[in-house]
Amino acid sequence: MPAAKTSHVCLPCRASFKQPYDRQRQRACPRCARPLIQAGSAFGAPRRRDVAAWRTLSVPLDASVGFHRTCCGGPGHRPRALREVRKVRKVRKVRKVREVREVREVREVRERMTYARRSGEPIPKSARAIRPAVTV
């Protein structure tokens, strides 16, 4: 059975190539000899003359976001305009900030509970209600 092929992209040339997947090997563009970016097996390249679409794709590809097939989910959403990329970045940033805040809150509750146990003080009801599920 032949090796699975995945898309490799050269952004300056606006070209996409399907080549066998090899994790150790760095592919080079046959046109300009620059390194290719692995885009994933579910990548659909826009037309070469569609400069705006390639500019939009450069953001997720430079951030190492690939377009890979999953067992059930498919390739996922591919941004079509820069404003969609900005919107996705903003949503991801908000999620990350929320996760950081949750981790900090869990740490603070743990520290309060540990201090209360060691010092013999009663544990506040609010701390009893919050049983940290996240391990840090």
Side-chain angles (χ1 to χ4, degrees):
M1 190 164 139
K5 291 189 175 186
T6 185
S7 292
H8 293 78
V9 177
C10 180
L11 292 173
C13 296
R14 294 193 305 262
S16 172
F17 306 97
K18 285 266 189 179
Q19 297 180 347
Y21 178 74
D22 188 5
R23 191 175 292 208
Q24 283 100 14
R25 186 173 167 198
Q26 178 63 39
R27 307 281 181 175
C29 177
R31 294 176 180 204
C32 66
R34 292 182 183 161
L36 292 174
I37 299 170
Q38 184 179 354
S41 58
F43 176 73
R47 296 192 181 273
R48 185 171 288 132
R49 64 179 171 257
D50 191 357
V51 179
W54 280 98
R55 190 174 342 131
T56 302
L57 275 174
S58 69
V59 176
L61 290 175
D62 284 338
S64 300
V65 176
F67 301 92
H68 302 281
R69 289 192 177 115
T70 59
C71 69
C72 303
H77 175 70
R78 186 181 103 190
R80 303 288 180 188
L82 279 176
R83 70 175 167 267
E84 290 181 34
V85 172
R86 289 186 197 112
K87 193 182 295 184
V88 169
R89 288 171 114 188
K90 187 176 182 180
V91 168
R92 286 184 181 166
K93 187 175 182 180
V94 168
R95 284 184 191 161
K96 192 171 186 176
V97 168
R98 285 182 187 161
E99 290 173 4
V100 168
R101 285 183 185 159
E102 289 174 3
V103 169
R104 285 182 185 161
E105 289 172 3
V106 168
R107 281 186 187 154
E108 289 173 7
V109 169
R110 280 193 180 154
E111 288 172 4
R112 280 187 258 142
M113 290 176 68
T114 304
Y115 176 76
R117 283 190 191 119
R118 289 182 182 166
S119 65
E121 293 181 12
I123 298 173
K125 288 183 181 179
S126 61
R128 280 189 222 150
I130 301 173
R131 291 288 176 193
V134 180
T135 57
V136 181

